[in-house]
Amino acid sequence: MTGDQPFPFVFWDYLVFAGYFAALSAVGLWAGREKKSSPESYFLAGRTLPWYVVGSSFIASNISSEHFIGMIGAAYVYGIAVAMAEWGNISVFTLLIWFFIPFLLASKVFTIPEFLEKRFNRTVRQFFAVVTIASNVVAFLAAVLYGGALMLEKLFGWDLWFAIISLGVVAGTWAIYGGLRSVAWTDFVTLLVMIVGGLMVTLYGLDYLSGDSHSLTEGWRVMIDRNQAHSGVWREAVEKNAWQIARVEEYNRLSVIQPPTHEVMPWPGLALGWISVGIWYSVINQFMIQRVLGARNMYHARMGIVLAGYLKILMPVLVVVPGLILFALQPEVMLLPWEEIRPAADRGYVTMVQAMIPVGLRGLFLAALFGAIQSTVNSVINSTATVFTWDLYRRSFRPNESDRHYVRVGVASSIFVMAVSIVLGRYIEEFGGSLFVYIQTLYAFFAPPFAAVFVLGLLSKRVNAKGATAAVFSGFAFGIAMKLYVQLLPGHLPWVEPYAMQALINWCFCVMICVLISALTAPPAAGQVTDQLTFRWSRLNIGAELGHRWYNSVVVWWAVFVGIVICLMMWFSGLFH
């Protein structure tokens, strides 16, 4: 997978990309035209976002170069199991729709750290705010900018520094200018372009596989047959790497159910990962939940997540199937030494695009790539500025300033965060390995302590601040200890090695510490366990604002979404074969 030659453009490519950028600019200017004199209008779009913008922005913020480079590279190496990173959201999306959205909107919180202070104490809030900013910069922004710049370097011969700076400055403009309203509405436009551009690569890939027949059905059949790896170099490639991938002798690339020792998708992590990484990423991660908090009302928030669920069903067609196509075309890369395979796989998408996308459509592909990057960069910059301004600056330094002052601080902090991320993005390559694994490993480290105390705090009025504080600090120490155990002890338990298993183990550890310390200390004060801070099932309004007709019913469309995902998981688990 070389792909080192520049990617030639013609007039129509430039026209398509210029048209996309002009449309994006027009929408960003229109959405951000209103005065942003209050923090609520700048950071939460004045709580006016409709469901189709909530859902599209939720997914567009999630899609980045991690997907178009890292996830496709991971699918090349690990097979269809990587699709569970998308389909596995069924559990947390269901909880978000039925429990977390009614609760969070009723509590009127501005940020998740603010909620944690009300429920526990200032220490938990401040620590979570600092960790949120750090994870946003390191796990999201820097990695996304590096991934996008790497593709621009390989496709167009751009200098890596120039590519990272260009992406950071251009992509972050709308977050700085218009706040969440501009971010969310430009995400809506961007998602449409990303879907079209991503589908284009998949369809051309299947057509390429089909040979002279030019039949997508035949291309799909060839892709499945070669990924089954029954013979030839495909079988040799799978047999050579089965032990590295999953500590097994026989590896099935077309199953979403993998052993506990699988490097990235062990089945216990998939079955229970939603309670740690899933809840952290989709519920208490500010850059994702912020568009839910900015929804017009509960119906628009819920229906937005239902839409996001359907988009998650589609995502593997855009970012997993190309990896399977790549394996069908170039399995010999899997015969390289293991430490060289994953970086080479990350470069595979570039090769695929260069070989298959005709001149005249490459501008659309570039627009899709840029859209994936700018939507994530916009969202993360906006949410990071929100957390810094509201939970650190306002709470600890200047609590009594005017609304306009906090908006100006938000703008200034956005610029600073963007600058730091650009610098860090240039050095992500020093970590080596897979971009997908790099990002997912960081998620698995940051998520468990806060997911554990957040859920316990909602479910139990007996859990107190001392238990939560002990859990989050000891959880990070325990996470580091597990990584040292795996790195330094050759005889370690193999099922502890996957990062998804480490996240699950750490979550259980944090639950134990939180419950134990809370039981040994005084109960929380009455003001810390009100109906706005803990679940009171009779007051949760689970059945409120669900739509009045079948065609706009949250229940109907959620049920169909769940049914489709379950059928897909069963089909690719081998139960129907």
Side-chain angles (χ1 to χ4, degrees):
M1 296 184 186
T2 55
D4 294 328
Q5 298 302 314
F7 200 39
F9 262 34
V10 298
F11 170 76
W12 294 110
D13 293 314
Y14 289 111
L15 184 64
V16 168
F17 184 75
Y20 161 74
F21 198 77
L24 193 71
S25 299
V27 171
L29 289 168
W30 169 79
R33 69 193 186 283
E34 297 181 15
K35 291 183 178 180
K36 298 167 282 290
S37 57
S38 71
E40 185 172 75
S41 65
Y42 186 75
F43 296 121
L44 292 182
R47 302 186 192 267
T48 61
L49 300 179
W51 65 269
Y52 49 89
V53 173
V54 171
S56 57
S57 181
F58 196 89
I59 294 301
S61 300
N62 173 236
I63 303 172
S64 66
S65 56
E66 172 204 352
H67 289 75
F68 281 104
I69 295 179
M71 198 165 182
I72 290 173
Y76 174 87
V77 176
Y78 303 105
I80 194 67
V82 178
M84 288 302 291
E86 305 299 327
W87 297 339
N89 285 279
I90 180 175
S91 298
V92 72
F93 276 25
T94 295
L95 290 174
L96 186 56
I97 291 166
W98 295 111
F99 299 107
F100 292 125
I101 284 177
F103 180 80
L104 290 173
L105 294 190
S107 66
K108 297 293 183 183
V109 294
F110 205 89
T111 65
I112 297 300
E114 178 186 8
F115 170 84
L116 292 176
E117 179 177 21
K118 291 179 179 179
R119 178 60 183 88
F120 298 118
N121 58 22
R122 181 179 177 181
T123 300
V124 175
R125 175 182 185 171
Q126 302 293 74
F127 186 47
F128 183 66
V130 170
V131 169
T132 295
I133 293 172
S135 64
N136 281 358
V137 171
V138 177
F140 293 109
L141 283 176
V144 166
L145 290 175
Y146 167 72
L150 181 66
M151 184 166 279
L152 291 175
E153 179 191 44
K154 298 299 181 184
L155 285 174
F156 306 111
W158 290 20
D159 175 75
L160 195 62
W161 262 118
F162 176 75
I164 291 174
I165 293 171
S166 299
L167 285 173
V169 172
V170 176
T173 299
W174 300 123
I176 296 170
Y177 164 71
L180 182 62
R181 186 179 281 107
S182 283
V183 169
W185 278 97
T186 53
D187 282 350
F188 177 68
V189 175
T190 294
L191 184 67
L192 299 177
V193 176
M194 282 192 286
I195 291 174
V196 173
L199 279 175
M200 178 179 65
V201 177
T202 299
L203 295 177
Y204 271 103
L206 292 174
D207 178 76
Y208 191 88
L209 271 181
S210 70
D212 293 336
S213 69
H214 297 291
S215 165
L216 296 181
T217 303
E218 175 63 15
W220 182 270
R221 187 199 64 77
V222 172
M223 180 192 73
I224 294 296
D225 180 68
R226 293 180 180 178
N227 275 270
Q228 287 174 334
H230 291 314
S231 61
V233 67
W234 298 277
R235 180 173 181 81
E236 183 184 355
V238 172
E239 288 180 343
K240 173 184 176 293
N241 294 288
W243 187 256
Q244 289 285 355
I245 290 172
R247 299 293 190 266
V248 294
E249 299 297 333
E250 294 286 336
Y251 181 66
N252 184 357
R253 286 180 53 85
L254 294 180
S255 175
V256 296
I257 306 299
Q258 297 294 344
T261 49
H262 193 278
E263 186 179 32
V264 299
M265 292 292 162
W267 74 259
L270 292 175
L272 299 173
W274 58 271
I275 63 178
S276 56
V277 178
I279 286 178
W280 172 80
Y281 188 90
S282 295
V283 181
I284 63 175
N285 177 5
Q286 186 69 26
F287 104 83
M288 294 296 288
I289 202 65
Q290 193 158 332
R291 51 265 310 123
V292 173
L293 298 177
R296 288 178 182 174
N297 54 40
M298 195 189 322
Y299 173 80
H300 285 275
R302 283 173 150 173
M303 206 63 178
I305 300 302
V306 171
L307 172 61
Y310 283 94
L311 294 171
K312 283 289 188 182
I313 294 173
L314 176 65
M315 281 303 300
V317 178
L318 310 183
V319 297
V320 175
V321 172
L324 303 182
I325 294 172
L326 274 170
F327 180 79
L329 289 170
Q330 298 183 334
E332 63 275 4
V333 175
M334 292 284 282
L335 301 179
L336 295 172
W338 176 250
E339 62 273 10
E340 297 179 20
I341 290 174
R342 293 184 299 181
D346 280 352
R347 295 191 294 269
Y349 192 56
V350 176
T351 305
M352 186 174 173
V353 168
Q354 287 178 319
M356 298 175 190
I357 303 302
V359 172
L361 289 178
R362 293 173 177 179
L364 180 60
F365 166 76
L366 181 60
L369 171 64
F370 178 78
I373 297 167
Q374 71 88 25
S375 60
T376 300
V377 170
N378 275 343
S379 300
V380 178
I381 286 177
N382 180 257
S383 66
T384 306
T386 303
V387 171
F388 173 81
T389 304
W390 203 253
D391 297 298
L392 293 179
Y393 180 83
R394 176 180 176 273
R395 180 66 179 84
S396 301
F397 302 106
R398 305 286 287 273
N400 299 311
E401 296 293 338
S402 67
D403 287 345
R404 287 185 179 275
H405 175 81
Y406 294 127
V407 171
R408 288 196 296 269
V409 171
V411 171
S413 59
S414 296
I415 296 172
F416 178 76
V417 166
M418 182 178 65
V420 172
S421 300
I422 286 171
V423 173
L424 290 178
R426 177 60 182 83
Y427 298 101
I428 291 293
E429 63 180 341
E430 304 299 328
F431 290 93
S434 163
L435 183 63
F436 176 82
V437 173
Y438 165 81
I439 294 175
Q440 296 295 323
T441 300
L442 289 175
Y443 292 172
F445 177 73
F446 287 125
F450 294 110
V453 301
F454 177 75
V455 171
L456 287 174
L458 293 182
L459 296 178
S460 173
K461 294 187 176 184
R462 185 61 182 82
V463 169
N464 62 20
K466 290 182 178 179
T469 304
V472 294
F473 282 102
S474 62
F476 276 89
F478 185 69
I480 294 172
M482 274 196 294
K483 294 189 179 302
L484 292 174
Y485 165 71
V486 169
Q487 292 293 325
L488 301 179
L489 292 180
H492 62 263
L493 297 171
W495 52 268
V496 179
E497 190 168 339
Y499 58 76
M501 293 299 294
Q502 292 182 22
L504 182 58
I505 295 167
N506 199 3
W507 186 88
C508 294
F509 171 81
C510 292
V511 167
M512 180 186 68
I513 293 296
C514 188
V515 170
L516 180 62
I517 299 299
S518 295
L520 295 176
T521 53
Q528 294 177 310
V529 290
T530 63
D531 291 347
Q532 288 73 42
L533 299 175
T534 57
F535 278 169
R536 183 177 174 185
W537 301 102
S538 61
R539 299 282 299 276
L540 200 52
N541 289 328
I542 291 176
E545 299 186 54
L546 297 176
H548 303 293
R549 300 286 187 272
W550 70 267
Y551 54 80
N552 66 358
S553 169
V554 172
V555 176
V556 170
W557 291 108
W558 164 78
V560 174
F561 151 63
V562 170
I564 293 172
V565 172
I566 290 174
C567 288
L568 285 169
M569 290 192 295
M570 291 177 67
W571 180 265
F572 285 105
S573 67
L575 294 179
F576 292 167
H577 302 291

